[in-house]
Amino acid sequence: MTTETLHWTAVCAASDILPDTGVCALVEGVHVAIFHVAQARQFFAIDNIDPKAQASVLSRGLVGSLGDRIVVASPLYKNHFDLRNGECLESPEHSVRAHAVRVQEGRVQVALA
């Protein structure tokens, strides 16, 4: 699937997400965490529901890196989720989906995986 055939949903202004923080948005009924990562000069989107806690909290986690991986640490159980692919580094069975994200005309847009 190309970026032209994805269904994009505008979420917020890019300037609304401070560097190295995340926000939560409801995209087509799915809780999505969107992060602005300063070191990568990029935005990332993953499911916001922590699979272990079943709580919508990943957008409030700490953004950082482990080796060459850009991650967010869950604020509840401290599991690390790779922002590129949603993999849970400590427990791969708790991985989440990663979603396509882009910025167009200053607006962050998400397309569900």
Side-chain angles (χ1 to χ4, degrees), residues 5 11 24-25 31 51-53 55 61 80 85 92-93 96 104-105 108 110:
T5 60
V11 174
C24 179
H31 291 223
K52 190 170 181 182
H80 296 90
N85 60 23
E93 68 274 13
V96 297
Q104 284 204 326
E105 298 178 7
V108 175
V110 174

Side-chain angles (χ1 to χ4, degrees), residues 4 12 17 27 35 38 43 45 53-55 66 70-72 76 79 82 88:
E4 291 80 31
C12 63
I17 308 175
V27 178
F35 298 93
F43 288 82
Q54 293 301 306
L66 290 175
I70 300 170
V71 299
V72 63
L76 297 177
N79 286 342
D82 187 315
C88 179

Side-chain angles (χ1 to χ4, degrees), residues 30-59:
V30 176
H31 291 223
V32 176
I34 302 128
F35 298 93
H36 177 190
V37 179
Q39 80 178 41
R41 296 185 181 140
Q42 212 172 338
F43 288 82
F44 297 91
I46 61 172
D47 288 339
N48 194 46
I49 305 289
D50 181 316
K52 190 170 181 182
Q54 293 301 306
S56 188
V57 297
L58 293 182
S59 64

